[in-house]
Amino acid sequence: MRANTSPTGLALLLIVVGLLVSFTSVTAAFVTDERVWRYLIAAGCLMQFLGWVRRGRRNGGGR
């Protein structure tokens, strides 16, 4: 078992940037009601997902 279970490196970057893009896009979509923000919300969520998948693979799939 690894002592450090927090995401690091590229996984952490994907997760944090995905969160920032998602939160910013949700706020912008609420304020401006533009459709383009919905695509950025989806892209941010996809980035987060890829970051968590990368972290899970590095840690042996949650074993």
Side-chain angles (χ1 to χ4, degrees):
M1 184 171 180
R2 297 180 97 164
N4 183 8
T5 59
S6 298
T8 58
L10 182 59
L12 179 62
L13 179 69
L14 286 171
I15 294 167
V16 170
V17 171
L19 278 169
L20 291 174
V21 168
S22 295
F23 288 159
T24 304
S25 299
V26 165
T27 303
F30 181 72
V31 171
T32 64
D33 199 33
E34 297 275 336
R35 290 186 68 91
V36 70
W37 296 115
R38 295 178 187 181
Y39 297 114
L40 287 174
I41 293 168
C45 292
L46 178 64
M47 289 174 68
Q48 290 178 58
F49 174 76
L50 293 174
W52 285 111
V53 167
R54 184 170 174 87
R55 180 211 173 254
R57 283 187 187 153
R58 189 191 78 205
N59 287 343
R63 284 187 260 167

